[in-house]
Amino acid sequence: MTLPTESKRLHILESKCRVPLVPGDIFPRPRLFQELNDWRTRRLTIVQAPPGYGKTMLVASWLHIYKETLSEQDVGVGWLSLDEDDDDPRQFMAHFAVALEPVIPEATRVVEQNLLHGQADLQRSIKILLNAISGLATPILMVIDDYHHIENERIRQVVRHMLKRGPTNLHWILLSRRDLVESLGHMSDIGGLRLLGTEELRLEKDEVARFLEWVLAAERPSESELAALVAQSDGWIAGFRLAALSMPQGGDVAALTARLQSHNQWLSTYFRSEFLANQPTHLQAFLLQTSILEQLNGPLCMAVTGMTDAAALLEQAAATNLFITPTNAARTRFAYHDLFRRMLRDELIRRYPPPEVQALCQRAGRWLEENNEIGAALRHFVSAGFEEAVIDLVERHSLPTILIGDLQRPQSWLSQLAKEGLLPSPRLLLDQGWLYLIADRLDTLAFLQSTQQAWLEQAQSSEFGIHWRQERQMQWSVAHYLAGDSEKAQAIAEQVGVGLSADSHFLVSGCYHFLNAINVLNPPDKAEYHCRQALQIYE
């Protein structure tokens, strides 16, 4: 249908004004159907979630399944699927009228005539429709799909007016990829509201089990397997469908899990076309560049991307339901869902050359180090392949952190180095030795023995002075003491004492005086002297 106006012709696509066809293999959602069945008790139902959570098919399949019931109850149903062209007041109103044509054909013809003559008064058209609906004895259910395309404030005002001032027999279901709070304003004065968001649309464990049986004819997985599938997929029904596309009937849960975890052509194509392609270019760049981050906040995102509006983009991403959720109550820190972050990372690597990705990781690592998030900084330097920076980072922070009593973090950093196959430097071997000793670990002697060959090899190939050798000797001394060999401990301590000076590490001096203070062979006055010296050093 094409309607001429004074300024332009309105192109009406009637297929947008009818309930979409539902494939025969669509997965039924009884839990959510029950929520939709209560539509009479409220003015507005909002279904909002990222692409692929089945919003359109949920409502369309519900209408098809309950078609006879709704018909028997004389319920009039209007459906309108929006796109970018409908973000125009007259275009929107024309499609809205056609969507209601099966319910109130005479009123829609009057609206069409109003548009035909170029009338810009939307309020007049709204009054015609609302009065016609009010005159009906039966309820009307109006469904508007893809409402996130509406940004025109005049259209938003019209919808808000119809929601708040419309007849009591007019009920609404709005479907959107974005949070509708901003576009609808204060909704507390709307007579009844139900929000079905991402949390509600996620597949639950029982639904995942039914989906596997429905699509793959697979046996029900264990509870732990189901929980893992929900966590990996975020309950994203499109993710399951796309991962299962090329799988044979009777496929098992392990194969599906592997497809969700690995690069998947179907998922990647869907992600690019449905997620990224629908975002502004600037926001796309922000999403891709920040995909390297485990946790996101405004200052960190700005440091990584160089975008001065990074904090605003972060809030925009969260508001558009892009698989990003706040991780604290103040909504200052966020995180991408693992599956979404992995797809973003794949696209980042596809679009950006390796040096640029490395630079992003390096900038992230520097900011995180400056803000004392050493573990996260370490992982970013590892991702960038900066082995020297990794070693240097842990060298600068491990011992100071150990000395304030935080032993867990340095141990995790050192374990990360071992996991990455990075050989510890002489300094880090010493730091780990002090960590064992300060923690009073009984396996300290075993640690020193297991690392002695590495120490000797590095001592031959590296230039480090006598003071590091003193540290290593003193660690041997204290380790023997902890193992119960006081005589061996004292003998090594005496060797260290020969070269002790003002430049010696305070831990070496402190341990030397401590061992002499507890040496039963020392006379009382000498033991007292060493005790005072040890206490002074440790204080």
Side-chain angles (χ1 to χ4, degrees), residues 268-441:
S268 298
T269 302
Y270 183 88
F271 167 72
R272 286 197 293 270
S273 61
E274 294 296 324
F275 284 88
L276 283 184
N278 290 312
Q279 306 307 320
T281 303
H282 190 49
L283 180 58
Q284 285 188 39
F286 173 83
L287 293 171
L288 293 174
Q289 292 178 29
T290 56
S291 68
I292 66 167
L293 300 173
E294 302 164 354
Q295 293 279 325
L296 305 95
N297 62 61
L300 172 56
C301 291
M302 185 169 67
V304 170
T305 65
M307 300 176 184
T308 55
D309 58 345
L313 289 169
L314 185 56
E315 281 290 346
Q316 183 182 347
T320 52
N321 284 326
L322 288 173
F323 284 99
I324 178 173
T325 54
T327 58
N328 64 352
R331 290 181 62 89
T332 57
R333 297 180 72 89
F334 297 83
Y336 292 123
H337 182 268
D338 287 345
L339 181 61
F340 181 64
R341 180 174 176 239
R342 187 164 61 250
M343 290 189 291
L344 280 174
R345 286 292 299 270
D346 288 345
E347 189 65 12
L348 172 72
I349 294 170
R350 194 178 76 88
R351 293 192 189 184
Y352 287 66
E356 291 189 31
V357 177
Q358 287 181 327
L360 293 172
C361 293
Q362 186 176 37
R363 291 197 288 270
R366 287 174 178 169
W367 187 93
L368 290 163
E369 180 185 5
E370 290 171 1
N371 288 270
N372 198 34
E373 297 188 39
I374 310 304
L378 170 64
R379 290 188 289 276
H380 282 87
F381 285 137
V382 168
S383 296
F386 299 137
E387 295 186 3
E388 292 185 5
V390 170
I391 299 293
D392 180 64
L393 177 72
V394 181
E395 282 184 350
R396 284 185 284 106
H397 291 278
S398 59
L399 190 56
T401 307
I402 291 168
L403 293 176
I404 62 173
D406 184 350
L407 307 181
Q408 185 174 358
R409 286 200 302 159
Q411 183 57 63
S412 68
W413 305 337
L414 293 163
S415 298
Q416 180 70 20
L417 294 184
K419 181 181 177 181
E420 298 297 331
L422 299 177
L423 294 175
S425 65
R427 179 65 261 167
L428 289 181
L429 286 173
L430 291 172
D431 291 349
Q432 192 162 10
W434 290 124
L435 187 152
Y436 275 55
L437 290 170
I438 292 173
D440 288 331
R441 291 181 55 160

Side-chain angles (χ1 to χ4, degrees), residues 113-124:
Q113 288 298 314
N114 186 36
L115 293 167
L116 177 68
H117 295 293
Q119 298 293 328
D121 184 6
L122 291 182
Q123 293 300 326
R124 182 171 182 271

Side-chain angles (χ1 to χ4, degrees), residues 161-212:
H161 176 77
M162 289 192 287
L163 283 168
K164 295 178 181 179
R165 307 298 178 202
T168 56
N169 63 326
L170 176 59
H171 304 264
W172 298 74
I173 298 179
L174 298 183
L175 288 70
S176 173
R177 292 182 177 184
R178 297 183 182 177
D179 191 332
L180 294 185
V181 171
E182 180 182 352
S183 63
L184 295 178
H186 298 291
M187 294 181 286
S188 58
D189 53 351
I190 294 175
L193 168 66
R194 177 67 170 108
L195 173 63
L196 298 178
T198 307
E199 286 295 326
E200 288 77 14
L201 267 65
R202 285 188 176 103
L203 291 175
E204 297 179 346
K205 286 194 298 184
D206 286 344
E207 291 173 312
V208 170
R210 285 197 300 109
F211 180 86
L212 293 175

Side-chain angles (χ1 to χ4, degrees), residues 18-65:
R18 301 292 179 262
V19 180
L21 293 175
V22 176
D25 64 345
I26 195 68
F27 180 63
R29 307 289 301 274
R31 172 175 61 86
L32 297 177
F33 288 169
Q34 186 58 49
E35 293 281 356
L36 295 174
N37 282 338
D38 292 334
W39 63 275
R40 289 173 178 270
T41 64
R42 49 187 175 258
R43 172 64 62 85
L44 171 64
T45 301
I46 294 176
V47 184
Q48 63 183 36
Y53 273 94
K55 302 178 294 297
T56 302
M57 283 298 101
L58 167 68
V59 179
S61 60
W62 170 71
L63 288 173
H64 280 288
I65 289 173

